[in-house]
Amino acid sequence: AMTDKMSAKAKEAEGKMQSAYGEVTGDPGQQIKGKAKQVQASAMNAKEAVKDGAKSVARKASDASDKLADKIN
């Protein structure tokens, strides 16, 4: 399970870098691919959270929605 969490973190970092690269170069394809990797990483994290228990899922969902709210505001 630890390796799954680490690969999810790696995927998320890779997605953020790819998305940032797309923004810098003005390449929307890279931005979209980067965002897709971040979504994939979130799904991987959620799967691990389910294994860790329902409280963990609720916390991660709450954190994610807080981060999303911060981006929107």
Side-chain angles (χ1 to χ4, degrees):
M2 190 54 104
T3 51
D4 290 342
K5 286 179 186 174
M6 288 168 61
S7 62
K9 284 275 182 222
K11 177 74 73 179
E12 184 179 11
E14 184 184 344
K16 284 181 180 174
M17 284 172 50
Q18 190 169 9
S19 182
Y21 174 78
E23 286 176 35
V24 170
T25 59
D27 183 347
Q30 291 296 324
Q31 288 177 269
I32 292 165
K33 286 177 187 169
K35 296 287 183 200
K37 284 181 183 171
Q38 291 176 61
V39 170
Q40 191 179 5
S42 294
M44 291 163 77
N45 282 326
K47 187 176 112 183
E48 287 307 303
V50 169
K51 292 178 189 173
D52 292 345
K55 283 184 187 173
S56 176
V57 173
R59 251 197 320 275
K60 287 185 186 198
S62 174
D63 289 352
S65 62
D66 288 349
K67 286 178 188 161
L68 190 60
D70 289 348
K71 283 183 183 176
I72 292 168
N73 293 333

